[in-house]
Amino acid sequence: MNFDALFNAQLDTLKAEGNYRVFADLERYRGKFPQATNHAEGAQRDVTVWCSNDYLCMGQNPAVLQAMHETLEKSGAGAGGTRNISGTNHHHVMLEAELADLHGKEAALLFTSGYVSNWASLSTLGSRLPNAVILSDALNHASMIEGIRHAKCARKIWKHNDMEDLRAKLEECPEDSTKIIAFESVYSMDGDIAPIKEICDLADEYGAMTYIDEVHAVGMYGPRGGGVAEREGLMDRITLIEGTLGKAFGVMGGYITGSAALIDFVRSFASGFIFTTALPPALAAGAATSIRHLKQSDMERARQRQQVAKLRAKLDAIGIPHLPNPSHIVPVMVKDPVKCKMISDILLNDYGIYVQPINYPTVPKGTERLRFTPGPGHSDADIDALVHALHDLWAQCALSRAVA
């Protein structure tokens, strides 16, 4: 059996559809982000990164870097294994306390990534709670979908952000079921935001648990960076708040927060926590420093909002179509996988602008896009250069423009 032939046949199909991913070889430099060096075909060139999820440049923050350096020298490189066997490092304890405080909860639990925290928590809740039914928003992240699948409990998919459909699905649930409504706050591809209050109202009416993924919102929204639920004064109405340390906080890891009983339940039964090596202490120290900083500093968020508004206004001025939304994510719509990748390649090779094409299966076919995430490190000159490049390429590729 020629196994490589089987692999290559499917890869060739992916390439023919325009959905094959090629990773840019980038090197970031401390203090210069979003500028980076692209290594390609033995050559190097400077590029501006426009699609990073390090939304607030906290991965470059001097205090974060200092905390990581000091902890690395003091505690060494790794955590030594799982927390169940090798012990909990004190930096894990301090970080979990910071996270619980951030979301106004009794306790928090760390994971190695946001993907793992969703997968482990939802699979544990769904598999161990009696007669569980997970009601999942249709556009939930792959990590949530995988967790729900692994739970092997009853599930219902409700139309994205549609409260009438959610109510109808709740009505269908058996009276003795444990209902879990799972949704995100900021949806990362379209940039829209969930109606959290209305979801909580339905949860209260039907006695359901609320599970919110705030990975694209923590650090970004609320007076202390607690997310959209904090901004809207709703954190106390959410049963479980899940987040990441690898986006706005600029480091790595995932977490959940909730009541002490809920966190102890997941800690005790989630295989994705029990059998996974813990975060290195230096990462935990850096994340805790980042969270503390963003609890008291709004400068990064204010600058980020300012640059998002500037980019949107300039795109509107030249008719480049982008999805309107109330978040920090600017999806520029191409709606063709081949052209989307081609534009991405030209931007990188000819203009020194890096943005990854977003094609199927990340987004539905026919909605291919370039997803821009302006940050506080992007200058006005960076924005002007990007808009100029898009203006040229929209003409070259004969793409339609938005009508003012």
Side-chain angles (χ1 to χ4, degrees), residues 351 387-397 401:
Y351 293 90
V387 172
H388 171 74
L390 290 175
H391 176 73
D392 289 349
L393 291 175
W394 239 247
Q396 290 179 31
C397 297
R401 295 184 186 252

Side-chain angles (χ1 to χ4, degrees), residues 126-142:
S127 63
R128 299 199 67 93
L129 292 178
N131 303 314
V133 179
I134 300 180
L135 300 102
S136 176
D137 185 283
L139 294 188
N140 275 343
H141 189 263

Side-chain angles (χ1 to χ4, degrees), residues 178-330:
T178 304
K179 295 173 279 292
I180 306 165
I181 303 174
F183 62 103
E184 300 181 42
S185 57
V186 177
Y187 287 84
S188 63
M189 289 300 113
D190 288 352
D192 56 335
I193 294 177
I196 301 175
K197 179 182 181 300
E198 290 78 4
I199 293 172
C200 289
D201 289 344
L202 284 174
D204 290 345
E205 183 178 346
Y206 288 89
M209 176 188 300
T210 46
Y211 181 114
I212 189 170
D213 174 323
E214 289 251 43
V215 296
H216 290 276
V218 290
M220 301 294 294
Y221 301 92
R224 299 199 309 157
V228 179
E230 184 199 23
R231 184 188 71 181
E232 298 180 5
L234 297 169
M235 290 194 298
D236 62 312
R237 300 185 64 187
I238 305 293
T239 312
L240 184 153
I241 298 175
E242 185 266 349
T244 184
L245 306 170
K247 293 183 171 60
F249 293 129
V251 191
M252 178 185 175
Y255 65 89
I256 60 171
T257 65
S259 69
L262 168 59
I263 298 305
D264 197 21
F265 176 82
V266 175
R267 181 191 69 87
S268 299
F269 294 112
S271 62
F273 172 81
I274 295 169
F275 298 105
T276 300
T277 298
L279 286 176
L283 288 179
T289 301
S290 180
I291 293 165
R292 283 193 292 270
H293 175 85
L294 290 174
K295 282 179 179 178
Q296 53 83 32
S297 174
D298 194 51
M299 177 183 66
E300 293 83 3
R301 288 187 285 269
R303 169 72 175 173
Q304 194 270 347
R305 290 191 297 267
Q306 180 184 69
Q307 297 309 87
V308 168
K310 286 180 181 178
L311 176 59
R312 284 185 171 141
K314 288 180 180 290
L315 292 175
D316 287 338
I318 61 171
I320 300 296
H322 59 100
L323 289 182
N325 63 56
S327 76
H328 57 284
I329 295 164
V330 183

